[in-house]
Amino acid sequence: MAPIDPHSFTDSSHPLTTHVSLSLYLDFNTSTIHASALLSLSSSFSGNLSLDSRSISINTILDPQTLIPLPYSVSSIPDPIKGSEIVVVLTGQSQLLILYSTSPSASALQWLSPLQTFSKTHPYVYTQCQAIHARSIFPCQDTPAARIRYDVVMNIPSSLSAVMSARHVRRRLPVPEEAKHLMWCAEDRVVEEFAMEQPIPPYLFAFAVGELGFREVGPRTRVYAESAAEEVLDAAALEFAGTEEMIKQGEKLFGDYEWERFDLLVLPPSFPYGGMENPRMVFLTPTVIKGDATGAQVVAHELAHSWTGNLITNINNEHFWLNEGFTTYAERRIVEIVQGADIATLNIGIGWRGLNDEMERFKDNLEFTKLKNKQEGVDPDDVYSQVPYEKGFQFVLRIERQVGRTAFDEFLKKYIATFKFKSIDTDTFLDFLKANIPGIEKEINLHMWTEGVGIPEDAYEPVSTIYTKIISLAEEFKQGKMPSEDEVAEWNGQEWELYLENLPKSCEPSQVVALDKRYRLAESKDYEVKVSFLKLAISSKCKEYHGEVEKTLKSVGRMLYLRTLFTALAQTGGTEEKQLAKQVFAEARETYHPIAQGV
């Protein structure tokens, strides 16, 4: 067996899946999906075909041409990271039909009861498949190396509607001929059909089902959320009103937008990430709605993925920087045009601070400070960090600084056009770089940047008047001087975040309380500011903020915030803080997405 991916059972000598047809019956009463998956391979195959699965019950596997059962086995003891291997014995087939059911514990799915939604009357379910969770929704070769097209027939309660990372074909009544479940044609059921005609990695498979409403914000963009959450819908429509302009600027920089639609879904607060770049339907946490349009920078990042990540994809998670480093660079180029160079520089500054913090986090495991790293036996969710984003960004920026922006822009367009709809590794990129910018390896130590630990000496700490001023004010706080109201009068969330992140890890409690008394940071509606301040308060042993910490940890599920606050509580060293962390996690755990429950 020749593995293609340390997180998949897929064998590189086997044909890869090119298309999947799914029939899904969503049973909200049992939090399961009863389903069939028709997998089409790139060629006919004889032998043992390996597929990935997690917490899936197989009913039968058939030859779709003859409906004769195919021999198969499922590993008796699941791998703690990869899940269960399904081995199907093929004798010249190029397709196989799998009838199966998911589990209530499927790691990609969060089923919300009516009481967990805005309306309090209808249930909700959504997916998060990155990095290796598509296998808990359907058996597949769950690796970015296997790009698939797909179509879906989804049977849901008629009171709800569905959205997907795919083109919506139609909504219709179910018909008996397609029934895969006894209740398929029940009076209160409806079918939604979708099709994804472009090849995507399985981790970009996504859907959400609930009582959904939307607002139009541009010719290619709607913002969706629960229809009962009218305030969220209205606020999101305002926050993301400039989306079309960002798409146009992205096209000027990187080439045509290939996905037709760029819709946005604001999910319930339990969504574990800031955003997820699902093609055609980006998923967002409600915490990105800040009221001052700065939340649109998360949308800029997910939009940038439309070229770097979705069009060109890392072949597996050991090369994750190819997705995120390029996308962070592309995001900041878009932000620079739409919101100005100062804002882009602030972003770089916040990222620089975050990258240095990650070096401290991984000081005892330097492998994960590398861009290209080894992940055999490692859960990608456990080592998720800012390194592929910010060190990756620094590497891309280092190339731009070497050759100049004009030349680099031409290189970037050629790179995207050459590898679009393909999955590549670091060596493929480096070979392309050296072929198209001859001699670059003599100017930049490419091996040190991609396989060396830590932050290279020729990385770039940003320089701008506002960045320098904020760092200076943070230095003054260490001497006991608080910024004046005049000095912060024009600050938005990003300025405050940069300021807070550059304060000492802990301060005199009286200083922290005085800072909050003047500027109300613990009550900020900008969660980046709020969480940065609460981290400082915890580390400074300001116990009067424990109530706000508990409230925050119980109201959001974004892993960035959970990890920050739980880690601060655990590392502060006090028995009271550790006990608070254990108590809050025990009480809030079930409200978090399964991916975040391991935080």
Side-chain angles (χ1 to χ4, degrees):
M1 178 176 175
I4 202 168
D5 184 327
H7 303 120
S8 173
F9 293 108
T10 303
D11 191 317
S12 62
S13 64
H14 294 174
L16 295 178
T17 307
T18 58
H19 190 276
V20 179
S21 289
L22 290 166
S23 172
L24 308 176
Y25 180 94
L26 275 63
D27 187 339
F28 282 87
N29 291 328
T30 60
S31 301
T32 54
I33 300 174
H34 305 290
S36 67
L38 174 64
L39 275 56
S40 299
L41 306 176
S42 59
S43 63
S44 57
F45 181 69
S46 294
N48 294 342
L49 182 76
S50 295
L51 300 174
D52 299 306
S53 73
R54 181 183 290 121
S55 304
I56 277 178
S57 300
I58 304 293
N59 299 327
T60 187
I61 301 179
L62 305 171
D63 179 333
Q65 304 301 318
T66 64
L67 297 184
I68 295 174
L70 296 171
Y72 72 93
S73 62
V74 181
S75 53
S76 55
I77 301 175
D79 181 275
I81 296 168
K82 294 190 284 188
S84 300
E85 180 181 17
I86 301 172
V87 177
V88 187
V89 181
L90 299 180
T91 52
Q93 290 90 350
S94 61
Q95 290 185 314
L96 57 155
L97 178 63
I98 306 171
L99 277 61
Y100 68 95
S101 297
T102 64
S103 163
S105 63
S107 58
L109 294 164
Q110 183 167 29
W111 300 84
L112 301 177
S113 70
L115 290 177
Q116 291 175 288
T117 67
F118 277 98
S119 71
K120 309 298 182 189
T121 55
H122 294 286
Y124 194 107
V125 65
Y126 69 90
T127 63
Q128 174 55 41
C129 289
Q130 196 178 42
I132 53 170
H133 301 284
R135 66 194 67 185
S136 69
I137 301 176
F138 61 100
C140 58
Q141 293 165 317
D142 194 5
T143 168
R147 301 182 74 100
I148 57 170
R149 295 174 172 85
Y150 69 83
D151 55 64
V152 174
V153 174
M154 184 186 299
N155 188 302
I156 62 173
S158 56
S159 57
L160 308 181
S161 58
V163 293
M164 282 203 83
S165 58
R167 178 174 59 84
H168 185 252
V169 178
R170 58 175 173 160
R171 179 181 173 101
R172 60 170 175 80
L173 293 174
V175 293
E177 305 87 78
E178 65 190 3
K180 302 287 194 304
H181 186 271
L182 286 174
M183 300 300 292
W184 185 271
C185 292
E187 285 186 9
D188 61 345
R189 306 293 294 192
V190 70
V191 165
E192 301 261 27
E193 292 183 20
F194 298 89
M196 169 48 75
E197 284 107 351
Q198 293 139 310
I200 63 167
Y203 72 79
L204 291 177
F205 178 88
F207 68 79
V209 178
E211 189 182 33
L212 301 175
F214 65 85
R215 300 284 187 271
E216 300 279 358
V217 296
R220 291 180 272 191
T221 305
R222 287 176 173 175
V223 174
Y224 290 83
E226 288 184 67
S227 55
E230 288 194 24
E231 287 185 11
V232 174
L233 275 168
D234 292 339
L238 282 173
E239 192 86 13
F240 309 132
T243 300
E244 179 62 23
E245 179 61 21
M246 290 197 295
I247 298 173
K248 288 177 179 176
Q249 295 301 333
E251 289 183 308
K252 287 179 184 177
L253 289 168
F254 313 121
D256 291 343
Y257 181 77
E258 300 269 0
W259 307 94
E260 187 183 5
R261 297 285 305 173
F262 184 73
D263 292 323
L264 309 169
L265 172 66
V266 180
L267 284 156
S270 58
F271 184 58
Y273 295 105
M276 182 62 211
E277 65 270 19
N278 307 308
R280 301 181 65 103
M281 183 63 66
V282 165
F283 284 10
L284 296 169
T285 167
T287 63
V288 303
I289 303 171
K290 301 178 181 183
D292 59 6
T294 58
Q297 290 166 30
V298 174
V299 173
H301 183 89
E302 307 313 333
L303 169 64
H305 268 303
S306 302
W307 292 274
T308 52
N310 296 5
L311 271 188
I312 307 175
T313 308
N314 51 238
I315 198 164
N316 62 48
N317 213 68
E318 294 181 331
H319 307 271
F320 189 45
W321 80 271
L322 286 168
N323 278 21
E324 297 300 348
F326 273 97
T327 296
T328 302
Y329 172 85
E331 165 210 335
R332 287 171 183 160
R333 289 292 303 277
I334 294 170
V335 168
E336 181 181 320
I337 295 168
V338 176
Q339 297 189 345
D342 278 348
I343 298 297
T345 302
L346 282 177
N347 280 353
I348 298 171
I350 292 167
W352 178 257
R353 180 70 259 160
L355 179 58
N356 280 273
D357 287 347
E358 296 291 23
M359 296 302 127
E360 176 67 20
R361 174 186 167 195
F362 290 117
K363 65 184 179 183
D364 297 323
N365 199 346
L366 291 174
E367 180 68 22
F368 300 109
T369 68
K370 300 176 182 178
L371 290 183
K372 177 185 174 184
N373 51 63
K374 294 180 172 61
Q375 295 190 18
E376 185 68 47
V378 175
D379 189 327
D381 291 334
D382 291 344
V383 293
Y384 178 83
S385 79
Q386 291 302 300
V387 173
Y389 294 76
E390 296 299 341
K391 187 176 178 180
F393 162 78
Q394 287 285 343
F395 181 36
V396 177
L397 184 65
R398 177 68 185 87
I399 300 168
E400 185 219 87
R401 286 162 50 214
Q402 184 65 41
V403 303
R405 178 164 283 189
T406 301
F408 187 70
D409 282 354
E410 289 305 310
F411 167 80
L412 195 54
K413 281 184 177 177
K414 186 175 181 182
Y415 168 63
I416 292 169
T418 301
F419 294 107
K420 70 178 184 179
F421 297 116
K422 293 177 181 167
S423 299
I424 66 170
D425 61 13
T426 300
D427 289 344
T428 301
F429 167 72
L430 293 178
D431 288 344
F432 183 81
L433 175 67
K434 288 182 283 189
N436 285 272
I437 306 178
I440 190 73
E441 69 274 19
K442 296 173 185 172
E443 306 295 335
I444 301 174
N445 188 332
L446 302 178
H447 183 269
M448 177 187 69
W449 267 101
T450 55
E451 299 190 49
V453 301
I455 303 174
E457 289 182 0
D458 53 346
Y460 168 79
E461 181 174 6
V463 178
S464 76
T465 303
I466 189 167
Y467 176 80
T468 304
K469 178 65 175 173
I470 291 170
I471 300 303
S472 172
L473 289 171
E475 287 294 324
E476 289 179 1
F477 189 81
K478 298 173 187 177
Q479 315 306 320
K481 183 177 181 295
M482 195 182 303
S484 69
E485 292 186 11
D486 285 343
E487 287 171 317
V488 305
E490 295 183 4
W491 283 15
N492 287 315
Q494 282 178 298
E495 287 88 346
W496 275 112
E497 182 187 357
L498 184 63
Y499 177 77
L500 290 166
E501 289 298 325
N502 280 279
L503 295 181
K505 292 229 179 319
S506 64
C507 302
E508 282 295 319
S510 59
Q511 269 188 296
V512 176
V513 172
L515 182 66
D516 184 49
K517 188 174 182 180
R518 181 177 290 184
Y519 295 115
R520 301 289 187 188
L521 301 176
E523 301 169 13
S524 175
K525 289 184 169 58
D526 185 326
Y527 272 82
E528 305 291 341
V529 175
K530 183 188 191 79
V531 170
S532 292
F533 175 79
L534 291 177
K535 178 177 72 169
L536 176 66
I538 294 166
S539 302
S540 304
K541 296 188 180 294
C542 298
K543 295 182 180 179
E544 54 263 66
Y545 291 100
H546 284 185
E548 192 62 40
V549 171
E550 179 176 352
K551 180 181 172 183
T552 302
L553 288 168
K554 288 181 175 180
S555 62
V556 299
R558 187 175 177 183
M559 286 201 296
L560 175 66
Y561 304 148
L562 301 185
R563 185 178 285 118
T564 296
L565 294 180
F566 279 123
T567 299
L569 288 170
Q571 291 182 348
T572 296
T575 303
E576 187 175 338
E577 285 81 9
K578 290 180 180 177
Q579 186 56 42
L580 177 64
K582 289 179 181 177
Q583 173 207 321
V584 172
F585 185 74
E587 293 173 0
R589 184 178 186 274
E590 290 304 312
T591 68
Y592 298 154
H593 187 280
I595 293 172
Q597 289 178 8
V599 75

